[in-house]
Amino acid sequence: MIIVMGKTATSEDVQRVIARIEQDGWQAEVSHGAERTVIGVIGTGFPPDYQEHFEAMPGVESATRISKPYKLASRDFKPVDTVIDVSGIQIGGGDFVVMAGPCSVESRDHVVSTAQAVAAHGARLLRGGAFKPRTSPYSFQGLGEEGLEYLAEARAKSGLPVITEVMEPGDVDLVEQYTDVFQIGTRNMQNFPLLRRVGQSRKPVMLKRGMSATIEEWLMASEYILAEGNKNVMLCERGIRTFETMLRNTLDLSAIAMARRLTHLPIIADPSHGTGKWYLVKPMAMAAAAMGADGIIVEVHPDPDHAWSDGPQALTYENFADMMQSLDAVVRATGRQMVSARAAVG
Ligand code: PEP
Ligand code: MN
């Protein structure tokens, strides 16, 4: 249920509503907007006329039940876009951010040089996997903690904050020591213990859409993180399974537009996994920017033919530079800018 306070409601009015919610055994989630305060009543099984109690209270404008199963993620609860600050880089709320780097961290030199190259061409976050969810147990599984150390070194040398995947709850503490953003991969979108665990952290989380998940399931997964108290959640559309065999996945651009309508969380597109082909990354990145995604995450490799994972979808440095130029024009055409680096990390 959502309780919207009137424009003239006092903080005592708000406190009285919160006290009533807690006294009845529910949880209150308060969102302060520029004009008014919205209070979410979190729980299920409210009595049939429960909203009427609140409508009668001073300062309350309306009390409405949310029929959607996701609450904290919904725009009904928080109409204003969420903006996530990652070491001075603002994600969401207008401008466009580019995250780039290799699929897997392969060596110190590999990730440091890739980080420097993508930074020089306007990337604002460095991506790279140290723990890799591979389809085959015989494929390269990532360098683990050694990979995290190289990522931290690449951050210090390039100034780019890091986003890297965490695959299990028991690794969250370790990964947290190195990363600036947790990535939850497509295969783990419904790993509920993992979602809860990153929800207990306050570090930003990028939640990739499950390759066979509906938009509602994706939002419900974000709700698990939000419900634990971590409000720094962004969504990532990374392509879904369809009948098409020519593409690795089908990047579902309509899901970005739909999610934008349904949720206040920032939305990132991944045209690398979304297509599986390096030559489709630029057009799909431009399309994602044109339709209002808050940013993209793309794979870049100094030598894609010899990449240890996902070579066919990796951009060379030259291709990345070329994409960034085209992207800049599209971002400007939508009345936005590329996110600027306001703070250096190191
Ligand atoms: C990745 O980012 O390299 C990755 C494994 O992504 P996904 O979970 O979308 O397959
Ligand atoms: Mn990959």
Side-chain angles (χ1 to χ4, degrees):
M1 182 154 65
I2 297 287
I3 299 168
V4 179
M5 302 302 292
K7 281 187 189 164
T8 55
T10 64
S11 57
E12 289 75 37
D13 294 339
V14 172
Q15 283 315 316
R16 218 175 290 119
V17 171
I18 294 171
R20 170 73 203 253
I21 294 166
E22 290 175 351
Q23 186 189 318
D24 291 347
W26 314 110
Q27 194 189 325
E29 281 283 345
V30 185
S31 160
H32 296 286
E35 289 216 325
R36 50 185 92 228
T37 298
V38 176
I39 305 169
V41 190
I42 309 302
T44 51
F46 304 127
D49 58 350
Y50 194 44
Q51 65 272 34
E52 289 168 22
H53 293 289
F54 294 104
E55 277 165 352
M57 291 180 76
V60 173
E61 186 175 284
S62 65
T64 325
R65 285 168 181 265
I66 305 187
S67 50
K68 299 185 183 85
Y70 48 89
K71 318 279 181 199
L72 301 174
S74 80
R75 271 212 190 269
D76 302 338
F77 171 58
K78 184 169 181 276
V80 191
D81 287 344
T82 285
V83 180
I84 300 176
D85 185 291
V86 182
S87 306
I89 309 291
Q90 311 282 315
I91 304 177
D95 290 346
F96 194 84
V97 70
V98 175
M99 314 180 192
C103 177
S104 309
V105 175
E106 297 174 12
S107 70
R108 174 185 282 118
D109 282 354
H110 165 251
V111 72
V112 169
S113 51
T114 309
Q116 287 169 331
V118 298
H121 294 296
R124 290 287 173 255
L125 273 87
L126 171 67
R127 63 145 290 145
F131 294 95
K132 296 302 301 177
R134 304 305 302 281
T135 301
S136 166
Y138 309 119
S139 301
F140 174 57
Q141 303 287 305
L143 295 179
E145 187 167 4
E146 188 187 344
L148 295 174
E149 281 165 12
Y150 299 157
L151 280 168
E153 204 171 316
R155 169 179 47 210
K157 294 204 166 131
S158 65
L160 301 184
V162 165
I163 172 167
T164 196
E165 179 160 359
V166 60
M167 282 172 50
E168 35 186 310
D171 288 342
V172 170
D173 284 336
L174 173 72
V175 175
E176 180 153 21
Q177 288 171 35
Y178 294 92
T179 200
D180 299 285
V181 181
F182 290 113
Q183 174 173 320
I184 303 292
T186 191
R187 294 161 188 81
N188 270 320
M189 189 204 82
Q190 285 187 318
N191 180 339
F192 301 119
L194 180 62
L195 299 178
R196 283 212 166 95
R197 183 61 193 82
V198 294
Q200 286 152 12
S201 168
R202 291 299 172 264
K203 278 235 164 124
V205 179
M206 188 181 80
L207 176 66
K208 287 191 149 195
R209 180 181 180 188
M211 62 183 86
S212 303
T214 64
I215 296 169
E216 188 169 291
E217 287 165 340
W218 187 25
L219 294 172
M220 288 308 289
S222 75
E223 191 81 11
Y224 268 86
I225 306 170
L226 295 165
E228 291 293 329
N230 190 345
K231 307 299 180 216
N232 297 314
V233 180
M234 62 192 104
L235 301 170
C236 175
E237 163 57 42
R238 52 77 70 198
I240 52 172
R241 281 277 168 87
T242 67
F243 53 79
E244 182 54 67
T245 54
M246 249 181 226
L247 300 154
R248 183 178 181 188
N249 292 288
T250 297
L251 188 69
D252 185 3
L253 292 175
S254 54
I256 298 177
M258 193 65 188
R260 167 73 75 232
R261 183 182 166 88
L262 298 173
T263 182
H264 52 86
L265 301 174
I267 306 165
I268 305 297
D270 177 348
S272 303
H273 295 88
T275 62
K277 315 250 184 252
W278 71 266
Y279 50 86
L280 298 181
V281 170
K282 171 174 148 178
M284 295 311 279
M286 291 164 73
M291 63 179 303
D294 294 297
I296 53 165
I297 181 162
V298 292
E299 290 185 346
V300 177
H301 196 282
D303 180 11
D305 289 345
H306 295 100
W308 294 6
S309 58
D310 286 352
Q313 68 194 33
L315 299 173
T316 59
Y317 297 163
E318 293 72 28
N319 288 333
F320 179 69
D322 173 55
M323 180 200 73
M324 288 299 280
Q325 243 185 351
S326 304
L327 206 49
D328 190 55
V330 177
V331 169
R332 284 171 197 275
T334 62
R336 304 185 294 164
Q337 299 176 31
M338 291 284 190
V339 169
S340 59
R342 253 166 291 191
V345 291

